[in-house]
Amino acid sequence: MQVEFLPSGIYLPEIDLWLDNVEPCGATWISHGHSDHARGCHGKVIGTSTTLRIYRMRLWLPEGETEPEILPLEFGETLDWNGSALTAFPASHILGAAQLLVEFRGERLVYTGDIKLRPPLCGNTTEPIPCDRLIVESTFGLPIYQLLDRNEATAQIVRFAKSCLEDGATPAFIGYPLGRGQEIVHVLCQAGICTAVHGAIAKFIPIYEEAGYQFCGWEAYEARSTAGKALVVIPSHGNVLEASGKNIRLAYVSGWAALDNARSRSGAERLIPYSDHADFNELLSMVAQCAPKHIDVVHGYTLPFAKILQKRGYSAAAPQRASERTNIEAEG
Ligand SMILES: [Zn+2]
């Protein structure tokens, strides 16, 4: 199957379908709702209904522009598309995130989008899909990235919050606007900890609630009223809290927390290396289970990870330079 790796996305010319194109186009698959994948005013958009709902929330429609045609494809469903069969599978990354299996003329191509193998705090657990060609991300595609599973991450989040509150301090967790933020809030709510949530994170909570996740007892973050609560804020707000002069203790929940310099970069006292992306061993495990004839590595440490795969005997390439894509939320 022909695959073109272009700055705005990946194009499959034989079936006239883009994968995560962020520039306006005729038709694109949208793997998940992060803004470096779900944006642009397209003719047709295909994705899970959760992802397409987030895409609609983000979409700014210029005056006179026609609404994109929304084509929901739920997990396990197959859509006939220009002589191919498209099937969606969970990707574990964030709520609604999906891998796409494209079957065309006897060939199986899998595009993972952003993915992790281990169960997320909120969302569907993935499964590796046997295929001929695998297009996989490599955000944490170096051996230094060994991340926590969800049970250990949950325990560390709750333990830090409770110890801060017992000491009379205010624990503040730095999460991302979509995905990690809601997961941290969910963990704190489940532990019965009173939690105040930054608006950029709170606006997506109803989508998680509709999917069955319970968020009891949270409230909107207000700078004047933080005592006795755990805070969940976006990265840019961490500095604001630090400068507030209050007894705030920061925790950074991210794959980047695995780096030696994470404490100085984030200003956080507690580093919790948990991510919605696969760590190095998960990536290797997924590649082995998919058993593809060829692997294209996109996003993150593309060239180093492709070389690691080559040394392990795989046919692998890094066709799209990471610098060609814009990662607005710098998620990890
Ligand atoms: Zn993502």
Side-chain angles (χ1 to χ4, degrees):
M1 194 179 316
Q2 287 179 41
V3 184
E4 297 176 7
F5 296 89
L6 299 166
S8 69
I10 299 166
Y11 185 52
L12 308 178
E14 291 153 313
I15 60 169
D16 193 18
L17 180 69
W18 286 86
L19 306 174
D20 282 338
N21 191 358
V22 294
E23 298 289 339
C25 69
T28 188
W29 161 256
I30 299 179
S31 64
H32 66 286
H34 280 142
S35 62
D36 56 330
H37 297 255
R39 70 169 192 262
C41 189
H42 313 289
K44 296 178 181 179
V45 289
I46 309 168
T48 64
S49 52
T50 299
T51 291
L52 295 181
R53 179 151 173 232
I54 297 166
Y55 164 75
R56 283 294 292 119
M57 286 173 73
R58 293 190 185 285
L59 182 64
W60 175 78
L61 207 60
E63 194 152 337
E65 195 72 48
T66 313
E67 283 266 344
E69 185 179 341
I70 301 283
L71 301 173
L73 187 64
E74 308 301 353
F75 299 135
E77 288 184 357
T78 296
L79 172 71
D80 291 331
W81 181 268
N82 294 341
S84 71
L86 310 178
T87 309
F89 292 89
S92 296
H93 175 57
I94 63 167
L95 195 67
Q99 306 180 72
L100 185 69
L101 167 65
V102 183
E103 295 173 279
F104 182 67
R105 293 180 185 161
E107 187 182 359
R108 291 163 63 87
L109 177 149
V110 168
Y111 172 61
T112 64
D114 288 353
I115 192 164
K116 66 184 280 180
L117 260 194
R118 290 182 284 185
L121 289 166
C122 301
N124 301 77
T125 302
T126 192
E127 53 185 298
I129 306 160
C131 58
D132 302 299
R133 186 168 185 173
L134 177 68
I135 304 175
V136 65
E137 63 120 334
S138 64
T139 299
F140 295 120
L142 290 181
I144 53 170
Y145 293 104
Q146 308 288 339
L147 308 179
L148 301 177
D149 66 26
R150 72 171 172 184
N151 289 340
E152 184 56 29
T154 298
Q156 291 196 17
I157 289 168
V158 171
R159 209 181 303 141
F160 180 73
K162 286 185 173 174
S163 75
C164 290
L165 292 168
E166 283 166 11
D167 291 346
T170 299
F173 294 86
I174 301 170
Y176 295 97
L178 174 60
R180 199 81 36 77
Q182 292 78 22
E183 289 192 325
I184 298 167
V185 177
H186 178 69
V187 165
L188 294 168
C189 289
Q190 291 296 107
I193 296 167
C194 183
T195 304
V197 185
H198 189 281
I201 295 168
K203 73 175 182 181
F204 292 112
I205 285 180
I207 293 180
Y208 280 74
E209 288 177 322
E210 282 175 25
Y213 297 98
Q214 301 211 337
F215 292 77
C216 301
W218 71 274
E219 57 189 66
Y221 166 78
E222 282 185 45
R224 286 175 300 180
S225 168
T226 56
K229 298 168 192 168
L231 313 180
V232 184
V233 301
I234 57 176
S236 59
H237 205 73
N239 297 335
V240 176
L241 291 175
E242 270 197 313
S244 68
K246 295 178 181 172
N247 189 7
I248 302 271
R249 291 168 61 185
L250 287 177
Y252 183 39
V253 185
S254 169
W256 306 116
L259 291 173
D260 285 345
N261 64 356
R263 192 161 277 114
S264 60
R265 279 172 41 151
S266 67
E269 162 190 335
R270 178 63 58 89
L271 303 175
I272 301 177
Y274 173 82
S275 180
D276 43 27
H277 292 268
D279 70 10
F280 181 70
N281 288 331
E282 286 176 271
L283 287 174
L284 289 182
S285 175
M286 192 168 60
V287 168
Q289 291 182 66
C290 293
K293 295 179 186 130
H294 180 76
I295 304 144
D296 296 297
V297 184
V298 294
H299 286 301
Y301 297 100
T302 52
L303 201 53
F305 189 61
K307 285 186 174 171
I308 287 167
L309 292 175
Q310 288 166 3
K311 283 183 182 163
R312 289 168 182 253
Y314 293 102
S315 166
Q320 185 184 35
R321 295 199 310 275
S323 59
E324 291 176 332
R325 294 296 295 263
T326 307
N327 187 343
I328 282 184
E329 287 174 346
E331 41 159 291

